[in-house]
């Protein structure tokens, strides 16, 4: 099966009350761990590549890894640019075979965000590629863009209709309290997404797919393993999975997860070296790390996204 766009996936997810997982890929073991889980569970999949991942692994290597996953799994897979920060980067990914791009101009003023998003949409649609845009800003680090604590802003529902109709974007990432990385909420506070904002956005955009970034849950057991074996991750706290499940049952069709895969992989590697200090064959520590990613993705597909059996 060739790469697909997210259009059909999102239409089915919206009507079916589930969401598609968008997992970040950086190397072969990550691609394999994710796609093995999705393949066994017959879950449609979005593999996403950040600017940093592309710089790290090389566009061609990433494309070829994803092509291999298509052959091995025969799943509907969408290849997506995560947090494209310029028209040129989006164009390069579109020309280079991606089926979906995100233009993230959410840090720019409203009118500027509209202009750059519209320009990307015009180019992308001409080539059969879909576009995700963003309104509102999340705290945390998105590639080179760091939004300081307190500087994030929830999406303003009164802006979404004008934004979507003027840009022609295919999906919209909104800010309702999620954030990037492992430190999403202050320790001691009760994490709570703004479902009132999500509901109002959905009311204004009936049938339109909404995206949640920064949706790792940061399971304490993985933080504990990392800390037990020499790490130092104080006060890490993520989005409760029951809130993500609720969002998936509403208009949220795409849920972005990266940090949880990093945690699973790093915890596995730290544990491996603590137990096998003499190992120096990368296969010995990357094999369990890949299995840890697979287990994490399987859990997300079944317990959070609800997209198992939907491929
Ligand atoms: O939202 C950002 C993603 O987690 C990608 O992170 O820019 O470090 O590859 P990265
Ligand atoms: P997390 O850092 O919560 O995994 O979010 C990833 C993300 O939003 C990628 O765009
Ligand atoms: Zn993101």
């Amino acid at each position: 099966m060739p790469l697909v766009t997210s259009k059909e996936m999102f239409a089915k997810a919206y009507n079916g009350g589930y969401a598609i997982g968008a997992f970040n890929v950086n190397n072969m073991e990550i691609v394999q761990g994710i796609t093995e889980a999705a393949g066994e569970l017959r879950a449609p999949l979005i593999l996403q590549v950040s600017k940093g991942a592309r710089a790290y692994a090389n566009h061609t290597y990433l494309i070829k890894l994803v092509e291999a996953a298509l052959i091995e799994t025969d799943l509907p897979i969408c290849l997506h640019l995560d947090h494209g920060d310029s028209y040129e980067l989006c164009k390069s990914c579109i020309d280079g075979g991606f089926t979906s791009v995100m233009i993230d101009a959410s840090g720019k003023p409203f009118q500027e965000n509209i202009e750059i998003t519209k320009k990307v949409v015009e180019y992308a649609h001409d080539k059969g590629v879909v576009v995700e845009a963003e309104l509102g800003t999340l705290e945390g680090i998105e590639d080179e863009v760091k939004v300081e604590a307190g500087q994030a802003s929830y999406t303003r529902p009164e802006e979404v209709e004008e934004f979507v109709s003027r840009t022609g974007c295919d999906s919209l990432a909104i800010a309702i309290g999620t954030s990037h990385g492992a430190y999403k909420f202050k320790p001691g506070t009760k994490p709570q997404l703004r479902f009132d904002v999500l509901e109002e956005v959905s009311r204004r955009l009936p049938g339109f797919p909404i995206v949640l970034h920064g949706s790792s849950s940061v399971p304490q057991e993985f933080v504990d393993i990392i800390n037990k074996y020499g790490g130092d991750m104080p006060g890490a706290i993520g989005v409760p999975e029951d809130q993500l499940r609720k969002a998936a049952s509403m208009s949220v069709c795409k849920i972005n997860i990266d940090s949880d895969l990093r945690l699973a992989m790093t915890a596995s590697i730290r544990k491996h070296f603590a137990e096998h200090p003499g190992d120096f064959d990368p296969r010995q520590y990357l094999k369990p790390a890949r299995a840890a990613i697979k287990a994490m993705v399987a859990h997300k597909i079944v317990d959070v996204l609800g997209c198992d059996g939907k491929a």
Side-chain angles (χ1 to χ4, degrees):
M1 183 183 292
L3 283 171
V4 296
T5 73
S6 51
K7 212 156 189 82
E8 195 182 326
M9 285 182 195
F10 287 169
K12 287 184 182 164
Y14 193 100
N15 293 325
Y18 61 90
I20 311 295
F23 301 101
N24 289 71
V25 296
N26 292 278
N27 67 13
M28 183 186 77
E29 285 75 13
I30 297 173
V31 171
Q32 288 177 332
I34 297 166
T35 54
E36 280 175 21
E40 284 175 19
L41 291 162
R42 301 310 300 161
L45 191 58
I46 298 174
L47 294 176
Q48 55 186 15
V49 171
S50 70
K51 183 178 173 181
R54 205 164 167 257
Y56 170 75
N58 174 304
H59 182 97
T60 310
Y61 279 90
L62 289 167
I63 286 271
K64 295 296 170 192
L65 286 171
V66 174
E67 282 175 8
L70 286 168
I71 293 167
E72 290 296 318
T73 62
D74 197 32
L75 274 183
I77 297 179
C78 169
L79 178 57
H80 174 76
L81 168 66
D82 191 26
H83 294 287
D85 62 355
S86 67
Y87 172 79
E88 289 71 26
L89 175 58
C90 292
K91 181 177 181 302
S92 169
C93 289
I94 294 164
D95 293 343
F98 283 42
T99 49
S100 174
V101 293
M102 175 191 193
I103 174 69
D104 181 0
S106 58
K108 297 196 168 20
F110 185 64
Q111 293 303 332
E112 228 179 294
N113 189 353
I114 289 181
E115 275 157 38
I116 181 170
T117 301
K118 190 168 184 292
K119 191 173 167 197
V120 171
V121 167
E122 278 164 9
Y123 189 80
H125 283 184
D126 198 43
K127 311 267 178 193
V129 170
V130 292
V131 179
E132 173 187 328
E134 182 168 336
L135 263 184
T137 48
L138 278 68
E139 268 179 27
I141 300 166
E142 298 173 0
D143 260 325
E144 285 116 57
V145 185
K146 184 170 185 337
V147 180
E148 300 291 345
Q151 296 301 307
S153 57
Y154 294 114
T155 301
R156 291 156 51 86
E158 59 273 26
E159 291 181 344
V160 299
E161 292 136 301
E162 181 185 351
F163 185 84
V164 168
S165 69
R166 285 183 57 197
T167 61
C169 67
D170 301 278
S171 61
L172 184 67
I174 63 169
I176 59 167
T178 63
S179 65
H180 292 100
Y183 304 91
K184 300 184 191 298
F185 297 91
K186 289 193 176 52
T189 59
K190 193 169 172 295
Q192 181 57 59
L193 299 184
R194 287 285 303 273
F195 283 101
D196 57 326
V197 174
L198 174 59
E199 269 165 16
E200 184 56 17
V201 167
S202 316
R203 195 185 65 76
R204 289 168 180 264
L205 296 174
F208 194 79
I210 300 301
V211 177
L212 284 190
H213 282 248
S215 296
S216 279
S217 306
V218 194
Q220 189 61 40
E221 61 188 283
F222 289 91
V223 175
D224 289 344
I225 294 170
I226 288 172
N227 287 343
K228 179 175 173 190
Y229 297 114
D232 181 15
M233 291 190 62
I237 176 163
V239 184
E241 290 186 337
D242 59 335
Q243 293 186 32
L244 293 168
R245 183 73 206 98
K246 179 175 170 185
S249 75
M250 299 165 67
S251 58
V252 170
C253 295
K254 173 174 179 271
I255 293 188
N256 285 13
I257 296 169
D258 184 9
S259 295
D260 281 353
L261 306 191
R262 297 179 182 196
L263 283 173
M265 187 167 202
T266 303
S268 167
I269 292 172
R270 278 195 180 272
K271 184 167 183 286
H272 182 88
F273 278 118
E275 290 169 355
H276 307 89
D279 267 358
F280 62 97
D281 177 347
R283 292 170 298 187
Q284 297 302 321
Y285 54 88
L286 291 177
K287 192 174 172 184
R290 180 174 61 193
I293 287 179
K294 181 177 175 181
M296 176 66 80
V297 171
H299 160 64
K300 297 289 179 185
I301 287 172
V302 173
D303 301 320
V304 179
L305 302 157
C307 61
D308 47 311
K310 308 293 188 190

